[in-house]
Amino acid sequence: MELNLIEGLGLVAACLTTVSFVPQCWRIWKTRKVDDISLSMYLIFFTGVIFWLIYGLLIESLAVTLANLVTAVLVAIILGLKLKYRSK
Amino acid sequence: MELNLIEGLGLVAACLTTVSFVPQCWRIWKTRKVDDISLSMYLIFFTGVIFWLIYGLLIESLAVTLANLVTAVLVAIILGLKLKYRSK
């Protein structure tokens, strides 16, 4: 298989895993309910995405850097909403 | 920076973003509540992870393949629990 096709597959994968957080953001924004969402999950995931971001910068991969930058923003919004709306 | 150190950073990133789904699985398993979790998010994320898995196999990267295989299993469990416990 051509390298360009493989890299295209990687880009589709990156777009999907990044875009997937939009409906979760939207759902919380609309319902203001976050009880069933795990804070630990988003804390660990956010830390991981920051590591991916640094990794992307170090290997000078625009795709890895950009995808994780957008994911970091979306996950930070979810984390912020979780902290704002969680039951005290 | 040495390449091994950079690859180590990538592995830490992969471990974190994979392991992050364990507390969400556990939370749903325990509470049986999934109302605040977006089905669309997990459907799109799962599709993305399958693309990452194929990408990892094609570029023959053990780290990408293994991380996404474990993530796929964990996300499939969350998807299954979401479908099982969601309000009809």
Side-chain angles (χ1 to χ4, degrees):
Chain A
M1 199 182 286
E2 264 184 63
L3 193 67
N4 279 352
L5 204 62
I6 298 178
E7 287 310 311
L9 199 77
L11 281 175
V12 172
C15 285
L16 286 169
T17 47
T18 297
V19 155
S20 69
F21 292 98
V22 174
Q24 183 66 73
C25 272
W26 177 245
R27 189 185 186 96
I28 302 174
W29 189 266
K30 214 174 47 179
T31 64
R32 300 183 177 199
K33 291 177 95 175
V34 291
D35 286 348
D36 307 336
I37 286 166
S38 163
L39 179 62
S40 310
M41 173 191 150
Y42 281 95
L43 283 175
I44 301 168
F45 196 86
F46 183 74
T47 312
V49 169
I50 296 300
F51 272 81
W52 275 126
L53 189 60
I54 300 166
Y55 177 76
L57 288 168
L58 289 173
I59 65 164
E60 295 177 4
S61 160
L62 186 66
V64 174
T65 307
L66 204 65
N68 283 288
L69 189 65
V70 178
T71 306
V73 172
L74 291 168
V75 170
I77 294 172
I78 295 174
L79 262 177
L81 293 170
K82 168 73 183 169
L83 292 171
K84 186 176 177 190
Y85 294 131
R86 71 175 165 168
S87 314
K88 295 297 184 305
Chain B
M1 201 182 286
E2 263 185 62
L3 193 67
N4 278 352
L5 204 62
I6 299 178
E7 287 310 310
L9 199 77
L11 282 174
V12 172
C15 284
L16 286 169
T17 48
T18 296
V19 154
S20 69
F21 292 97
V22 174
Q24 184 67 72
C25 271
W26 177 244
R27 189 183 186 97
I28 303 175
W29 189 267
K30 213 173 47 180
T31 64
R32 300 184 175 197
K33 292 178 97 176
V34 292
D35 286 349
D36 307 336
I37 286 166
S38 163
L39 179 62
S40 309
M41 171 191 151
Y42 281 94
L43 283 174
I44 302 168
F45 196 86
F46 183 73
T47 311
V49 169
I50 295 301
F51 273 81
W52 276 126
L53 188 61
I54 300 166
Y55 177 76
L57 287 168
L58 289 173
I59 64 164
E60 295 177 2
S61 159
L62 186 66
V64 175
T65 307
L66 204 65
N68 283 287
L69 189 65
V70 178
T71 307
V73 172
L74 291 168
V75 171
I77 294 172
I78 295 175
L79 262 177
L81 293 171
K82 167 73 183 170
L83 292 171
K84 187 175 177 188
Y85 295 131
R86 70 174 167 168
S87 312
K88 295 296 184 305

